[in-house]
Amino acid sequence: MKALVISGGGSKGAFAGGLAEYLITVCKQDYKIFIGSSTGSLLVPLLSIGEIEKLKKVFTTVTQKDIFNNCPFLLKKRRGVYKTKINHLGILKMFMEGKKTFGESENLRGLIFETITESDFDRIKKNDVSITVSNLNTMGLSIKKQKILLTLTLRMDMGISFVSSFYKPGK
């Protein structure tokens, strides 16, 4: 039984998605287990149902504004090159408001709901999906059933670290 494991790392998800596309479409790898953390956990639900083109579209067109309503970074383009700085004022605002994260990614919630449709969710559920969640804030581990997939995915953008695993039983 083969597993596809994708780590986190923000924009590295685009690279991981491209590599997964190559392994699945060109190398004809048939994965039965899909595991992802952070950005990887956003990729694996759609990879588990073969929605590679949808993933490609999202990961090649997404911007900071699509993810953050309060971005922890300042992006400036100078002489054709993007430069990134820390948004100290935005981070200070977050701490003064009692938030536990450097930025606020409420916009990611909308992007997830636009990307993973109810139809996609129904297809994922047919694969008898189980989700393993490890919360690094509480050092806890729990196993959930597929009906709460979207809830768990959405919790990621609230500063809770977790790993999601998707299992497609063999025939």
Side-chain angles (χ1 to χ4, degrees), residues 29-43:
Q29 296 295 318
D30 183 27
Y31 297 102
K32 300 297 181 200
I33 300 173
F34 294 81
I35 301 171
S37 67
S38 195
T39 299
S41 68
L42 297 172
L43 289 163

Side-chain angles (χ1 to χ4, degrees), residues 128-145:
D128 191 29
V129 171
S130 293
I131 301 171
T132 306
V133 179
S134 57
N135 184 334
L136 299 182
N137 292 335
T138 64
M139 300 306 280
L141 176 69
S142 60
I143 297 178
K144 307 292 182 183
K145 291 317 263 179

Side-chain angles (χ1 to χ4, degrees), residues 36-78:
S37 67
S38 195
T39 299
S41 68
L42 297 172
L43 289 163
V44 295
L46 292 175
L47 285 171
S48 74
I49 58 170
E51 287 291 342
I52 294 170
E53 288 304 314
K54 185 182 279 193
L55 280 176
K56 189 186 296 188
K57 181 179 180 230
V58 171
F59 273 86
T60 58
T61 61
V62 70
T63 66
Q64 294 290 329
K65 289 181 181 178
D66 294 323
I67 298 170
F68 295 105
N69 55 303
N70 185 359
C71 186
F73 311 107
L74 298 173
L75 302 172
K76 302 246 183 205
K77 190 174 184 179
R78 291 191 184 148

Side-chain angles (χ1 to χ4, degrees), residues 54-169:
K54 185 182 279 193
L55 280 176
K56 189 186 296 188
K57 181 179 180 230
V58 171
F59 273 86
T60 58
T61 61
V62 70
T63 66
Q64 294 290 329
K65 289 181 181 178
D66 294 323
I67 298 170
F68 295 105
N69 55 303
N70 185 359
C71 186
F73 311 107
L74 298 173
L75 302 172
K76 302 246 183 205
K77 190 174 184 179
R78 291 191 184 148
R79 296 184 205 113
V81 177
Y82 283 99
K83 300 285 183 176
T84 306
K85 292 182 180 181
I86 300 294
N87 180 359
H88 295 287
L89 187 59
I91 292 171
L92 181 62
K93 178 184 169 204
M94 294 293 289
F95 283 120
M96 291 177 69
E97 292 177 359
K99 308 284 182 164
K100 295 180 181 180
T101 61
F102 290 146
E104 201 158 51
S105 53
E106 288 295 319
N107 296 349
L108 179 59
R109 180 184 310 265
L111 181 62
I112 291 168
F113 276 113
E114 288 173 23
T115 304
I116 301 176
T117 65
E118 281 191 47
S119 172
D120 293 332
F121 186 57
D122 289 340
R123 289 171 52 210
I124 292 167
K125 287 193 302 186
K126 287 179 185 172
N127 286 334
D128 191 29
V129 171
S130 293
I131 301 171
T132 306
V133 179
S134 57
N135 184 334
L136 299 182
N137 292 335
T138 64
M139 300 306 280
L141 176 69
S142 60
I143 297 178
K144 307 292 182 183
K145 291 317 263 179
Q146 70 270 16
K147 65 183 176 183
I148 60 167
L149 168 68
L150 292 179
T151 304
L152 293 174
T153 303
L154 290 175
R155 297 217 40 164
M156 188 197 86
D157 70 319
M158 294 182 221
I160 298 172
S161 301
F162 69 92
V163 176
S164 56
S165 306
F166 300 86
Y167 170 68
K168 288 188 349 183

